Amino acid sequence: MVDSQYYLPNDIGISALDCTEAFRLLSPREQIYAHYLSRSAWYGGLAVLLQTSPESASIYVLLQRLFRKQPPAQLGNVATAAGLSPEEYQAFLVYAAGLYANMGNYKSFGDTKFIPNLPKEKLKALVWQSQAFQDRPGEMEALWDSCSTLLFSLEDQQKQLGLGDKGITTYFSGNCCLEDAELAQRFLDSKNLSAYNTRLFKKKSEGKTCYEVRLASAVQKGENCAVDGEGETRCGRYDFEDCVFTVSRGDYDHLMKKVSENLEKAKDHAANENQKRMLEEYSRSFTFGSVEAHKEGSRFWIKDKGPIVESYIGFIESYRDPFGSRGEFEGFVAVVNKAMSERFAKLVSSAEVLLPELPWPKDFEKDRFLLPDFTSLDVLTFAGSGIPAGINIPNYDDIRQSDGFKNVSLGNVLAVAYATQKDKLTFLDEDDKDVYIKWNGPSFEVQVGLHELLGHGSGKLFVQDEKGTFNFEQDNVRNPETGEKITTWYKGNETWDSKFSTISCSYEECRAECVGLYLCLNKHVLSIFGHEGEDAEEVVYVNWLNMVRAGLLGLEFYTSESKSWRQAHMQARFVILRVLLEAGEGLVTLKESTGKDGRPDALIKLDRSKIHTVGKGAIERFLCKLQVLKSTADVEGGRALYEGYSAVSDSGSHNFLCLRETVLQRKEARKMFVQANTRVKGDSVDLVEYEGSAAGLICSFTERFADDAEEVEAHLLELNKRDSPCWR
C-alpha cells in the first residue's frame, strides 16, 4: 500500500446530513421519543471505540478534552503559535473528524488505519500549548503517553484490522488466532449462545488454556450468579475440549447502563404497545447481556409496522469481526420519507411475484414470504462506525425465516453520498461519465431496494432442528447443480454466520448484489421506480456499469501482504466483476492504460447490448450456485467458489495486483457525514445542526455529551485500562 492510504486528505468530502424538514414535521411526542432513542444510540456508539483498537478510546478522550476547552477556530490560533502551518492544522482537524466519523482510528469502510498527516512533534506541541493542557497538565500528558505511539504507528500488523498476525482486533485478546476463534464458536454452539454481543479473552492458568467469553451488559455479577429476568446468558464456568471457558458479564458496563436508561425514557413516549415491548426487551438485553432478549425485542420491532419514527439498536453487523460472528454496536433513529416509501411499498407488494423469477428452484425459497416494511428514511441519528445506504435487519436467521424482517433505504444519505463530480470519475470513458452522473442516483435507488428486500430477504436455509425434524423434504428435494439429493444442511444451533464464518458477510453481500443486478432487468421492477422505455434501459446500463466499476475500485480494499480483503461489499463487487469478465463475448472489457497526467490508468467498458443476454446468463448461473451452496450449508463448496473468484493475482488475463496499485493512486476518499444533535428545551426538543466541515463534525461531537462528558470519558478510560494487558 502507498503512504496516502493511511492519511485522510485535507479536501475530503464532508457533508451535513439534512433532516430539518423531517424532524420539524414530527409531533412533540415523536420528537421527544426520537431524542431519547438518539441519546441511547450515541452512548452505545462509544462502545465501538473499544471494539476497534486498543488506542481508539484514549485518542477520542484526548480530542474531546482539547476541543471542549477550545473549539476548532480558537485552537487554530494555538496551532499557529505552536508552529503548525494552516495545512498541518487542517490535516489535524480532518484526522479528528475522521476519528469521530469512524468511531476509531480505522476506516469503517475498508478497515485500514489512518494517522494524522503532520509530524508527531508538531501535534505534541499543539497539545502542550492547548488550554486543556494548561488546566490539567498531568492528565493530558498521561493521555498523550498512553496513545501517541500507536496513534502514529504504521507497523505492518497495525495497518489494518485482522486476527493474529493479519492485523489488529479488540474482539479477541492479542494472543488469539483463527484456531481460537473456531474453538470458541464450537463452544458457543454447544451452549446455544450467540457471539453477537461477545468478545473473547484467552489466558493460561494452572497449565490450562482458559477463555473468557464476555457479554456486553450493564450488570456485573459473579460468573455463577443468575439474575431475575436476565434471559438465557449461560454465565458460568465450563470444561470444553480440554480447555476452560468462562461466560461473564459486564463488557462496556457503564455505556450499556446509559443505553438502557435512555431506552426506558423513550418508552414513556412510545406510540404503541409494540414499541413499548420492543424497548423493554432491548433494555433487558443491554442490562443483562441477553441476545435472546434482543431477539424478542426484534420480534416486536418487526410487528411495529410503518412507524413515523423508526429505529434499531444493538450489536448488529459482523463485518469487522475477523471471524465474522461478533456484532459491532450501532443504533439509528430516522423519520419516514413518505413519497419515497410509496415506491418501496409497491416493490414489497410485488415481492411474491418477483421471487419466483430468481434462478433457483422453489424448494430453495422460503416456504412463505413474510411481507416486510420497506421504507425510505431520513436519518436523524446513526451511531456506530459508519452510515450505510440501506439496511435489511434483523440479522438473526431464525427470526428472518419465521417472523420476517424490515428493509430501510436511507434517503438523505443516498442524496449526498453518491453525488459525483465528473472530474473525479475514474476508469470510465467520457461518454459513460455523462450518463453515469445523470443516472447513478436513480439506478442506485433501484439496486438498494432490490439488494435489501429481495437479496437479503430471499432464499431458504435447510435445517434439521434439535428434535431431528427437517424443514425441507429430504427425500424429494434435489440439488439443481448435481441432480442429486441434498446431503448437507444446518444442524441444531448452527447458523449461516457460524458455519461460513470468515466469508459469510461478503458472500451474502455478493448474493444480494447479484439479485439486484438480475432483477433490475425486469421491466415491472423498473416501472415501480418510475422508469419506462429508454430511461429504464439507461437505469439498467448504469446499474451494471456502476457494479463493474465498483469491482475494480474494490481492489483498494485488498491487502496483498496478507492476501486478505478488508471490506465485505467491495470484495463482493470484485467477485461479480470477475464473473462478468469470465462470461466473455465482449460483455466487459478492462484495459490498463496511461492517463493524461502520465500516470498508470485503466479503462473499463460494458457492452450494453449484451447485458440482457450474456450478462443475465452469467449472473443467473452464478447466483444459483451461491444460493444452493448457502441453502445446503456446503461450506467446502462455498469457500472454493467464493475464494476462487476473490483471488487477486498478477497472472491470467488481467494483472489485478498491478491494477490495484493504479486504483490506490487514483482513489477518492469516502465522504464523512455531520449529524445534528437534539436538545430538550422545556416541553419541546430543539434540533441543533452544524456546518458540513471538519470543524462542524468536531463541534457536533463535543456538544453531544455536554451534560456528562467527563463522567463518560472517565469510564471509557477505565474500561480501556482494564483490558490493556490483553492486547500485548
Side-chain angles (χ1 to χ4, degrees), residues 426-501:
T426 51
F427 311 126
L428 297 179
D429 68 21
E430 292 303 308
D431 290 341
D432 275 339
K433 286 181 181 181
D434 290 328
V435 70
Y436 184 97
I437 287 170
K438 181 176 181 180
W439 293 103
N440 186 40
S443 71
F444 198 72
E445 178 186 302
V446 173
Q447 179 68 11
V448 167
L450 294 171
H451 173 115
E452 301 296 349
L453 174 66
L454 298 169
H456 292 314
S458 64
K460 179 176 181 174
L461 302 183
F462 293 159
V463 178
Q464 181 184 21
D465 66 22
E466 292 170 328
K467 297 178 181 178
T469 305
F470 290 89
N471 70 341
F472 66 101
E473 295 183 13
Q474 190 187 8
D475 293 330
N476 298 326
V477 177
R478 301 278 170 170
N479 184 323
E481 298 290 309
T482 64
E484 299 174 354
K485 287 184 180 181
I486 305 302
T487 57
T488 55
W489 48 81
Y490 298 86
K491 298 174 183 176
N493 300 319
E494 292 177 342
T495 66
W496 162 250
D497 288 332
S498 69
K499 286 287 285 183
F500 282 73
S501 64

Side-chain angles (χ1 to χ4, degrees), residues 668-698:
E668 182 183 1
R670 192 171 175 84
K671 288 180 180 176
M672 297 190 288
F673 299 107
V674 183
Q675 298 182 59
N677 285 320
T678 53
R679 190 172 296 148
V680 175
K681 193 174 182 181
D683 295 331
S684 63
V685 180
D686 287 345
L687 186 70
V688 185
E689 298 180 282
Y690 305 87
E691 66 177 26
S693 66
L697 206 162
I698 290 165

Side-chain angles (χ1 to χ4, degrees), residues 701-715:
F701 265 89
T702 53
E703 294 181 11
R704 192 149 283 150
F705 304 99
D707 296 336
D708 56 0
E710 294 209 2
E711 174 198 343
V712 169
E713 291 162 15
H715 280 283

Side-chain angles (χ1 to χ4, degrees), residues 276-311:
K276 289 179 182 177
R277 295 294 303 279
M278 167 188 84
L279 296 177
E280 283 174 2
E281 294 297 335
Y282 288 164
S283 180
R284 191 160 67 89
S285 171
F286 301 130
T287 300
F288 301 116
S290 169
V291 171
E292 286 303 314
H294 193 268
K295 290 172 78 170
E296 191 63 20
S298 297
R299 292 186 177 97
F300 286 112
W301 177 70
I302 292 165
K303 292 175 185 176
D304 184 29
K305 302 292 186 185
I308 301 300
V309 177
E310 182 63 283
S311 68

Side-chain angles (χ1 to χ4, degrees), residues 35 196 217 220 226 247 251 261 486-487 582 584 637:
H35 166 76
Y196 269 119
S217 71
Q220 279 197 341
V247 181
D251 219 0
E261 286 173 351
I486 305 302
T487 57
E582 186 183 83

Side-chain angles (χ1 to χ4, degrees), residues 5 25 48 75 121 188 374 399 402 415 452 618 639 666:
Q5 183 83 330
L25 293 173
V48 178
L75 195 61
E121 316 82 67
L188 291 169
F374 198 164
I399 292 182
S402 61
E452 301 296 349
R639 282 194 176 277
R666 296 187 177 276

